[in-house]
Amino acid sequence: MGPVELLHMSVFSQSFSPCGRFLAAGNNYGEIGLFSLAAALSPDATAANQKPVLTFTAHEGPVFSLLSTDSVLLSAGNGEISAWSWTELTKKNAKLLWTKRPNYKSGLEIPEINCMVLNPQDDSLVVGAGDNNIHVLDLEQGVFKAVLQGHTDYVHCVCVREREAELLSGGEDGAVRMWDSRTGQCVHCIEIYKYESCARPQYGKWISCVTMDSDWMLCGGGPSMSLWHLRSLSPTSVFPLSGCQRQATFHQDMILAVGEGAFVSHCLLGGKVKAQIPCTPSRLNTLQLNSNSSEHRVLTVGGSSSQVDVFTNLSYRAFSFSF
């Protein structure tokens, strides 16, 4: 890849291997890079250990979403989902196991797949797509078994609320929808931008991230990032972060968030921004905590750069992987 492509590279997605020793990252050129955390974190690591051990083209367009199961790496981009064997990937071999495409209604445009999440209750893959729908793939049978319809614009994010057998989705239409995963019915619809404390008309109404922790929901995008109690369906904290947040996660007694701006925001649940830790990319799309390994416990962050920042300690960047 030439210097011009590297200059215009963006990293959209990441996933750690089931063993926790590798990180897969997907970029805007349809490539997946596989990095060895084990090698890069070893005491005698060199700059060479910060380069991919394997790079391969997975899709024609950007790789918007990556997700790992116990045995496969799932990647999604322009309308299709592909599965790659982790056993083969760790041997530096890109082995495609299957490719599936949801049953889209319109034949002309290929809707991009923006997000995927596993629903452990029924071993299904929940997929948010550019056709405004959520498609549910039965992983055991290999068939799409349901379509959840309700969003009026494309779906940016999905997450699972396991205890309640519910799915949550956020979209370009400004709505967070809660679905009963057994019946496929929408049980609640919260239009975040209609709440005065969250509304930021200058940024639009779209929801780009939604995540769960038992009865708590965190969402952000055009509206301010906000924390909601799902029993009362009301915002309890609104975070004073400038710009739009692209991804956020609960971590211990904190929230970690990334979006516009070259930093990871550390927020307290009450609404205070405790710290903003500098990163290499000027805009960030993705953050991922490696919970698959106690030995290689890191936070990795990617965005408008060919580099993926690695934090061994949340307070500062240790080094960067580089495509």
Side-chain angles (χ1 to χ4, degrees):
M1 184 165 285
V4 175
E5 284 97 346
L6 280 173
L7 194 64
H8 294 110
M9 190 183 288
S10 283
V11 173
F12 285 117
S13 51
Q14 306 178 84
S15 183
F16 291 102
S17 61
C19 65
R21 292 169 63 86
F22 294 91
L23 170 71
N27 68 24
N28 55 324
Y29 298 117
E31 294 177 330
I32 294 173
L34 191 68
F35 300 92
S36 170
L37 281 167
L41 291 169
S42 79
D44 46 4
T46 64
N49 297 129
Q50 294 168 9
K51 300 297 278 180
V53 293
L54 172 69
T55 308
F56 61 97
T57 301
H59 298 277
E60 270 182 23
V63 183
F64 286 120
S65 188
L66 286 173
L67 183 67
S68 291
T69 72
D70 294 343
S71 58
V72 301
L73 174 67
L74 297 164
S75 65
N78 283 11
E80 60 185 15
I81 300 156
S82 295
W84 313 85
S85 157
W86 264 119
T87 309
E88 291 299 320
L89 288 173
T90 55
K91 294 177 190 160
K92 304 178 187 167
N93 209 344
K95 187 172 193 309
L96 178 63
L97 299 174
W98 50 258
T99 293
K100 306 237 179 267
R101 183 170 282 243
N103 314 314
Y104 302 117
K105 292 285 177 279
S106 70
L108 293 172
E109 261 184 63
I110 301 171
E112 59 200 29
I113 291 173
N114 299 313
C115 52
M116 301 184 285
V117 68
L118 291 167
N119 186 356
Q121 282 210 328
D122 59 356
D123 194 26
S124 65
L125 179 71
V126 182
V127 175
D131 64 348
N132 311 351
N133 295 329
I134 295 153
H135 300 268
V136 183
L137 173 65
D138 182 324
L139 285 172
E140 213 169 286
Q141 307 290 330
V143 293
F144 284 93
K145 62 176 187 177
V147 181
L148 312 185
Q149 296 176 305
H151 281 286
T152 56
D153 209 333
Y154 53 92
V155 180
H156 281 296
C157 45
V158 285
C159 72
V160 171
R161 190 183 182 198
E162 275 182 63
R163 221 178 50 196
E164 310 287 335
E166 282 179 355
L167 306 171
L168 274 76
S169 59
E172 188 70 12
D173 57 5
V176 171
R177 287 180 173 268
M178 296 164 68
W179 311 83
D180 183 323
S181 63
R182 292 161 298 209
T183 63
Q185 296 302 307
C186 180
V187 288
H188 289 295
C189 175
I190 311 170
E191 291 173 303
I192 309 292
Y193 65 97
K194 290 187 175 172
Y195 289 75
E196 203 180 323
S197 58
C198 306
R200 294 190 303 185
Q202 71 273 28
Y203 290 123
K205 60 184 185 179
W206 51 285
I207 298 296
S208 56
C209 59
V210 61
T211 186
M212 287 289 318
D213 189 0
S214 65
D215 288 336
W216 297 91
M217 171 186 83
L218 182 67
C219 63
S224 296
M225 189 172 81
S226 50
L227 182 65
W228 294 66
H229 191 258
L230 288 180
R231 298 224 180 268
S232 59
L233 292 182
S234 57
T236 57
S237 301
V238 178
F239 300 90
L241 295 168
S242 59
C244 305
Q245 302 310 301
R246 294 261 169 206
Q247 207 172 359
T249 186
F250 289 95
H251 178 60
Q252 291 162 357
D253 53 352
M254 250 187 347
I255 287 161
L256 305 176
V258 295
E260 279 158 40
F263 46 78
V264 179
S265 297
H266 294 187
C267 304
L268 301 175
L269 300 175
K272 275 202 175 71
V273 180
K274 184 177 149 191
Q276 293 190 309
I277 312 299
C279 294
T280 309
S282 57
R283 286 191 318 281
L284 300 167
N285 301 319
T286 165
L287 88 166
Q288 203 79 27
L289 282 160
N290 188 7
S291 49
N292 297 348
S293 160
S294 53
E295 198 185 341
H296 309 112
R297 190 158 285 182
V298 294
L299 167 73
T300 53
V301 175
S304 58
S305 160
S306 58
Q307 294 188 304
V308 176
D309 287 350
V310 181
F311 295 79
T312 47
N313 172 322
L314 291 182
S315 314
Y316 60 88
R317 181 180 69 91
F319 62 90
S320 301
F321 283 131
S322 180
F323 265 93

